Amino acid sequence: MAAEPKKGTFMADNKQDNRPLSPFMIGQYYRPQWTSMSSIFTRITGLSLLVASLMIVWWFVAAASGPEAFATANGFITSWFGDLILFFSTWAMFYHMLFGIRHLIWDSGRMLEVDQSEMYAQAALVGSVLLTIFVVIVL
Amino acid sequence: MRFITDRKRAAGLGSAKTGTEHHWHMMVTSVALVPLVLMFILSFGAILGSPYSEVIAYYQRPFPAMIAILTMLVGFNHFAHGARSTIEDYTGGLTRKALIIGVNCLSYSAAAFAIFAIVRIAL
């Protein structure tokens, strides 16, 4: 029985299998870094804002429907569980906003050095917490 | 082994040529959302917890209603585009298409429901 021809012998062979792949930024290959962590959290916070957004849409639809529907939706949002969602969403909102602004700064060609980027990440993390506390106190 | 050439296998796997437009769209909507969301958090947070009649009276005023409408419109648009990037990063094929269509249906439905509700309260 003839041996299988080696991969890559023919033009039509799929060479993709041997292609070197760079590992994903989170996992066993990299230690956690400010740059990679702040980046993935920008995405996570952005996506998680869907929960509070849909809750607020429900609140508006209920308000438009009448007092009974409003009482149900408003009761849920102002319950401890609704408050918890709104509290974390407020933080997620500020985090996503501050790190989104970093993207706008990067796009203008500024703050592209790693140390500047890390400094912004640390400052923006503190900023997002402070802004959340500010909103909770004011409202 | 499949009788398929390298060229045929590579066709369609390159850039979609619309990345610049997508990126610019995200920039425009994100800049718009900075003031919109700040105003929305302050106005929505101020009225949340008030009784039904006060909430209705509040959103009959043009300024709070317009902030809410624009935040919902631009916000869900930004979400649909951002979620699409995530889907494109981690999925492929039919799953990718189904998820992108699903996210678009959800985002624009949610925005439409919210805007219809606010307009109905306001008018």
Side-chain angles (χ1 to χ4, degrees), chain B residues 75-97:
Chain B
F76 274 111
N77 185 283
H78 185 83
F79 179 82
H81 282 78
R84 185 185 158 166
S85 292
T86 310
I87 292 164
E88 286 171 342
D89 279 355
Y90 300 118
T91 64
L94 187 63
T95 312
R96 172 188 286 185
K97 285 175 191 164

Side-chain angles (χ1 to χ4, degrees), chain A residues 15-26:
Chain A
K15 300 186 186 74
Q16 283 201 336
D17 296 355
N18 306 323
R19 192 161 58 104
L21 294 167
S22 66
F24 187 57
M25 61 176 171
I26 293 164

Side-chain angles (χ1 to χ4, degrees), chain B:
Chain B
M1 118 166 216
R2 290 158 68 202
F3 291 94
I4 186 167
T5 61
D6 283 350
R7 192 202 179 285
K8 176 72 179 171
R9 196 157 44 222
L13 290 177
S15 149
K17 315 268 189 313
T18 56
T20 313
E21 193 183 341
H22 176 98
H23 181 79
W24 175 241
H25 186 95
M26 290 308 274
M27 279 181 82
V28 172
T29 50
S30 63
V31 170
L33 280 167
V34 172
L36 277 176
V37 165
L38 288 175
M39 287 190 285
F40 182 76
I41 287 176
L42 293 175
S43 73
F44 176 77
I47 198 65
L48 184 64
S50 303
Y52 175 73
S53 55
E54 282 180 32
V55 169
I56 297 298
Y58 185 72
Y59 279 106
Q60 280 175 345
R61 287 163 50 192
F63 195 64
M66 284 316 294
I67 289 171
I69 287 172
L70 286 171
T71 304
M72 290 295 150
L73 186 68
V74 184
F76 274 111
N77 185 283
H78 185 83
F79 179 82
H81 282 78
R84 185 185 158 166
S85 292
T86 310
I87 292 164
E88 286 171 342
D89 279 355
Y90 300 118
T91 64
L94 187 63
T95 312
R96 172 188 286 185
K97 285 175 191 164
L99 284 172
I100 290 173
I101 292 168
V103 156
N104 274 287
C105 291
L106 178 71
S107 304
Y108 291 108
S109 301
F113 269 101
I115 292 165
F116 179 82
I118 298 161
V119 169
R120 203 176 151 186
I121 294 167
L123 295 180

